[in-house]
Amino acid sequence: MYKFIRPHLDKDDPYAHFLYSKFSLSEWNESDEEFERRYIKHLKLASDGKIPDAMYTLGQLHLYGLDGAEKDERKTTQLLKEAAELGHLLSMFCYGQHLIYGTNGIEKDEELGFRYLEEAHSNGVEEAGPLIQEIKRDLQGKA
């Protein structure tokens, strides 16, 4: 696989960076720490190249401070928002929740958050269904 993507890495193709972040080969004798640094570096390059899956993954790593990514809720919010705007369904689901509840430093916007959740649900993110129903019940209780 590396032989296939190497020329694309040389051309700074963000999809190649995303793929390269996902694997290690035994002949590289790469330590876990070396892999982790390369993983984050190339995931960031893919994210900078507007690859929604990379943006979502990097956002989740920043949310929890995993795999060598610094815990940074602001960065998480930025990445999820951009990926959601690009149509990434899981990002829509996560970002929509942050909008509804005003978490991760996001100003609360229930209407926009609900639209993101509905879009994610209507396109196959099943987890959004129960949350949508819960929010509807909460809104009815406030009325």
Side-chain angles (χ1 to χ4, degrees):
M1 180 167 210
Y2 179 71
K3 289 178 186 178
F4 170 73
I5 65 171
R6 179 76 240 170
H8 300 281
L9 288 169
D10 292 341
K11 294 176 186 172
D12 206 26
D13 181 325
Y15 286 101
H17 287 294
F18 185 59
L19 287 173
Y20 187 52
S21 75
K22 298 291 185 184
F23 69 92
S24 184
L25 298 175
S26 59
E27 62 257 25
W28 293 349
N29 295 316
E30 190 174 42
S31 70
D32 290 344
E33 292 79 21
E34 290 168 326
F35 171 75
E36 195 172 86
R37 282 192 302 274
R38 183 172 58 79
Y39 171 61
I40 295 296
K41 175 186 174 185
H42 288 276
L43 198 56
K44 183 175 180 343
L45 289 167
S47 177
D48 291 347
K50 304 299 181 207
I51 306 301
D53 283 335
M55 298 165 86
Y56 171 78
T57 301
L58 190 59
Q60 294 302 307
L61 295 177
H62 280 298
L63 179 62
Y64 300 106
L66 299 173
D67 294 340
E70 183 179 330
K71 186 172 177 150
D72 185 341
E73 291 179 350
R74 215 174 282 174
K75 188 68 175 170
T76 294
T77 298
Q78 173 198 346
L79 290 165
L80 289 176
K81 179 179 189 274
E82 288 182 39
E85 289 170 349
L86 291 170
H88 189 266
L89 296 174
L90 287 175
S91 295
M92 288 180 181
F93 175 64
C94 294
Y95 185 60
Q97 290 179 75
H98 293 305
L99 285 165
I100 286 169
Y101 297 112
T103 54
N104 274 11
I106 297 176
E107 187 175 330
K108 200 172 191 177
D109 185 339
E110 292 175 343
E111 184 180 325
L112 180 58
F114 196 75
R115 283 199 315 259
Y116 273 121
L117 288 178
E118 285 185 319
E119 179 72 19
H121 185 252
S122 69
N123 284 286
V125 180
E126 292 179 16
E127 298 91 339
L131 185 56
I132 289 169
Q133 294 307 314
E134 179 183 322
I135 293 165
K136 285 180 178 178
R137 280 192 305 274
D138 289 348
L139 292 174
Q140 288 173 347
K142 290 179 184 178

